[in-house]
Amino acid sequence: ANHLPFTLIAGPCVMESQDHAFMMAGKLAELCQRLGINFIYKTSFDKANRTSIKGARGMGLEASLPIFYEIREKFECPVLT
């Protein structure tokens, strides 16, 4: 049997803006803290495999890296992309 703690890996499909990323990370971190589970924030900086060619791809690596750093520091959670 697996006795390791549950970890939620969650976040928006693509990073839309710093404000949106902070709002999502904050709400998810708060929920996980209240439930006593681990949390890893995940979102894409460039979502090339989207349904429509006109769909948003994300903010790109250079614009997203500082936001990922701030999320990690402010909400004390690991970040994946």
Side-chain angles (χ1 to χ4, degrees):
N2 184 348
H3 300 290
L4 297 174
F6 180 80
T7 298
L8 177 67
I9 301 172
C13 185
V14 66
M15 186 176 294
E16 298 175 13
S17 70
Q18 180 175 346
D19 289 343
H20 183 254
F22 273 40
M23 185 270 297
M24 293 297 294
K27 296 285 187 187
L28 289 165
E30 178 185 330
L31 176 65
C32 288
Q33 183 177 23
R34 199 172 21 167
L35 295 173
I37 60 175
N38 296 319
F39 170 56
I40 300 173
Y41 181 79
K42 182 180 185 291
T43 191
S44 295
F45 60 88
D46 183 10
K47 193 74 171 176
N49 61 337
R50 50 207 198 287
T51 319
S52 168
I53 192 85
K54 297 175 184 176
R57 285 190 63 155
M59 296 176 55
L61 181 60
E62 285 187 37
S64 298
L65 279 177
I67 298 169
F68 288 140
Y69 175 80
E70 289 183 51
I71 287 170
R72 187 182 71 192
E73 296 298 308
K74 181 174 182 168
F75 301 107
E76 300 177 346
C77 64
V79 174
L80 293 175
T81 185

